[in-house]
Amino acid sequence: MSGTNHLRLIQGIFSRPNKVVALQRIDLSRNADPVQSLQARLERIDRAIGETSRALIQAHAVSVRSMFSGSSDFLGGIQKKVVESSARNSVSWHQSRLQEMTQERRQLQNQLDRLTGQVWPKRLRRWLLWAGIGAAIIVASTVFVMGVFTAIYLLPIWGTLLLVLFFSQRKR
């Protein structure tokens, strides 16, 4: 019995999930209802994300203010701990809610892109953006490494010049 469980585990690890998603092309002049409903849902989610982000910033502000409030008496200390705990709970709730809404927005945007035929142009732009960022990182790191090697190569010349300057200043 355990041999079949191990075989299933190994097959589960090495098998690829079947993620075949067909692109859908629709005529926007005939049936714009799914597109409009997705756009309306995206607008509602964008507003909700904005409100949650503002609430998250406010919760962080309350947390920071409570950390810097200087109350040294017993009741003030208890109140400070209660406020900090509530602020932490609020921040964690808002962060998790923001992640959920962002995930839902991404899924809705993917559905809308499939309906309007914008999947591949957006994917191509994203690939080109990442390729550009990668190329910029490679160029910057190459310039940095070349600068380091140049500085190491020029150390004897600079050292000689500094020694000549030092001895000429010393003779005067």
Side-chain angles (χ1 to χ4, degrees), residues 10-81:
I10 291 171
Q11 286 176 344
I13 291 173
F14 291 111
S15 68
R16 297 177 115 186
N18 191 4
K19 289 187 177 182
V20 176
V21 179
L23 295 178
Q24 298 175 357
R25 187 113 183 145
I26 61 167
D27 184 14
L28 293 177
S29 62
R30 274 191 336 199
N31 187 10
D33 191 37
V35 173
Q36 289 176 350
S37 68
L38 282 174
Q39 287 173 341
R41 286 173 60 190
L42 278 172
E43 289 174 8
R44 284 194 302 268
I45 284 226
D46 285 340
R47 282 193 300 270
I49 286 174
E51 291 170 5
T52 305
S53 297
R54 283 189 290 277
L56 179 63
I57 291 171
Q58 289 174 354
H60 273 297
V62 167
S63 176
V64 168
R65 272 188 259 133
S66 71
M67 283 192 312
F68 291 119
S69 69
S71 56
S72 59
D73 60 340
F74 178 70
L75 289 177
I78 292 175
Q79 181 183 9
K80 181 178 177 180
K81 288 181 182 178

